[in-house]
């Protein structure tokens, strides 16, 4: 069986710039799937990054 191709950023550390971008995208109302695509990470890795850095991925509804 052929091995799956790993993403380019596989195993690379998250930069402060990436964290700031994730926080901004979430604050702007993007859901986790959209944020993952824009940052270039998988949804699972985004969730792990958010958990490790105490970032809520919940979309806040406007009042």
């Amino acid at each position: 069986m052929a091995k799956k191709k790993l993403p380019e950023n596989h195993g690379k550390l998250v930069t402060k710039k990436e964290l700031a971008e994730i926080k901004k995208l979430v604050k702007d109302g993007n859901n986790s799937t959209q944020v993952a695509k824009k940052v270039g990470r998988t949804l699972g890795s985004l969730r792990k990054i958010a958990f490790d850095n105490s970032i809520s991925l919940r979309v806040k509804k406007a009042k």
Side-chain angles (χ1 to χ4, degrees), residues 14-54:
V14 182
T15 63
K16 289 181 181 181
K17 185 177 177 183
E18 260 187 316
L19 281 176
E21 184 177 2
I22 291 169
K23 288 177 184 179
K24 181 186 176 301
L25 289 169
V26 170
K27 187 177 180 181
D28 290 345
N30 293 294
N31 65 30
S32 55
T33 307
Q34 294 168 331
V35 174
K37 285 182 182 179
K38 290 179 182 179
V39 175
R41 300 277 181 160
T42 63
L43 185 56
S45 67
L46 176 68
R47 287 180 176 162
K48 177 68 172 145
I49 291 166
F51 178 79
D52 290 345
N53 293 283
S54 302

